[in-house]
Amino acid sequence: MIVIKRGKEPNSLLKFRKDNPDADYETDMPTDVAKDIREQMWEEQRCLCAYCMKKIDAPAVVRIEHCRPRHPKDEQEHDKKATLDFKWMLGVCYGNSLVRGVKPEDKTCDAHRGNTELTVNPFDELSVRKIKYKADGSIYSDDADINKDVTETLNLNCQALSLPQTRKNVLMAEKNRIMRKCKGKSQDAFIHELERTYASLVQERNLTPYCGIIISWLESKLKIS
Ligand SMILES: [Zn+2]
């Protein structure tokens, strides 16, 4: 899962909301506004699915997902205005749902989630940091509710899509790159390279597919919690 940082909403969405104060996303969203939302999310998320972190090839195949975190609890869950609030929207993949006859257990992300509530808040770095990875690349959390989000609700250990194996490979490739670069150099140079890599991914947002496992590994190495 990536930490989502939303910019200002697209102008077309702002105008649509102003002109149609009672509109509901489900029934009223004009296609040109949806297109602008997809494009902007795709850019802000560095072409990655907010949940599984796979690369989404083009804005046209971004699914607009509404991830209303449970908190703050005093807000109503399904009020219409919230459905048009850009700051709670996520760009996600089709979660394998376009394959004909695909079994439910082989779907991921929004396609597997349905309407189940999520505890993890993709807009909150500390919440996303509770997601961890095992040596085999599988995802989990010590927080029982977040563990349910990632393993059950979003099905992010989907074997049909080889998600754990893919993540494991991504981490291995990055470790190899760092090892090669730091070969024969001091421990300080190694730590510096870890810090530089972390800054590039997290602060500069140079996100790459499945880099969550790299970020998590760097956080454990650099003792960031
Ligand atoms: Zn996905």
Side-chain angles (χ1 to χ4, degrees):
M1 191 168 298
I2 53 177
V3 179
I4 306 293
K5 304 224 189 278
R6 282 277 162 265
K8 203 173 135 293
E9 69 186 314
N11 286 334
S12 58
L13 175 59
L14 176 66
K15 182 172 187 313
F16 175 72
R17 288 194 302 105
K18 291 267 149 72
D19 294 347
N20 306 275
D22 294 322
D24 187 337
Y25 173 86
E26 302 297 334
T27 47
D28 307 320
M29 175 67 87
T31 49
D32 59 326
V33 178
K35 182 169 176 283
D36 290 346
I37 292 171
R38 280 195 194 92
E39 280 174 3
Q40 188 170 327
M41 288 199 297
W42 191 68
E43 281 169 23
E44 288 177 0
Q45 295 177 204
R46 306 293 188 263
C47 324
L48 302 182
C49 169
Y51 292 144
C52 72
M53 305 188 75
K54 79 174 235 177
K55 181 169 184 282
I56 299 178
D57 290 331
V61 285
V62 170
R63 257 171 89 115
I64 301 172
E65 159 80 329
H66 290 83
C67 171
R68 200 86 198 288
R70 272 195 257 189
H71 307 286
K73 283 182 177 163
D74 53 337
E75 291 178 62
Q76 279 185 359
E77 271 192 3
H78 294 292
D79 71 84
K80 290 183 199 166
K81 276 194 171 50
T83 67
L84 290 166
D85 192 338
F86 186 60
K87 73 171 184 284
W88 298 127
M89 290 183 196
L90 299 175
V92 301
C93 74
Y94 273 80
N96 209 23
S97 62
L98 297 182
V99 177
R100 197 190 294 194
V102 66
K103 289 184 249 159
E105 65 264 33
D106 293 344
K107 292 183 191 171
T108 65
C109 305
D110 162 47
H112 193 271
R113 175 193 177 190
N115 289 316
T116 310
E117 280 283 352
L118 292 175
T119 300
V120 68
N121 179 353
F123 301 93
D124 176 11
E125 196 169 340
L126 292 180
S127 181
V128 173
R129 212 177 275 167
K130 289 181 180 163
I131 296 172
K132 306 259 169 61
Y133 302 86
K134 295 180 186 166
D136 68 356
S138 59
I139 196 167
Y140 76 100
S141 177
D142 293 323
D143 177 306
D145 294 324
I146 293 179
N147 190 58
K148 180 171 175 283
D149 291 341
V150 294
T151 61
E152 294 177 34
T153 307
L154 298 171
N155 196 27
L156 296 182
N157 287 326
C158 180
Q159 291 296 337
L161 298 178
S162 308
L163 287 180
Q165 187 63 47
T166 305
R167 285 193 289 257
K168 186 183 170 187
N169 293 346
V170 162
L171 179 58
M172 221 149 46
E174 181 62 10
K175 282 181 178 176
N176 287 340
R177 184 194 69 77
I178 293 172
M179 292 304 170
R180 274 198 307 275
K181 192 163 180 190
C182 298
K183 201 174 170 200
K185 293 186 185 165
S186 66
Q187 178 71 6
D188 280 358
F190 174 68
I191 298 293
H192 179 73
E193 181 59 21
L194 296 183
E195 286 169 347
R196 200 200 59 78
T197 306
Y198 187 72
S200 171
L201 287 167
V202 176
Q203 275 101 48
E204 294 157 35
R205 307 267 302 160
N206 296 315
L207 305 172
T208 50
Y210 308 104
C211 66
I213 192 167
I214 301 173
I215 293 171
S216 181
W217 174 70
L218 290 167
E219 283 171 348
S220 72
K221 286 295 219 188
L222 296 169
K223 305 200 172 15
I224 296 167
S225 58

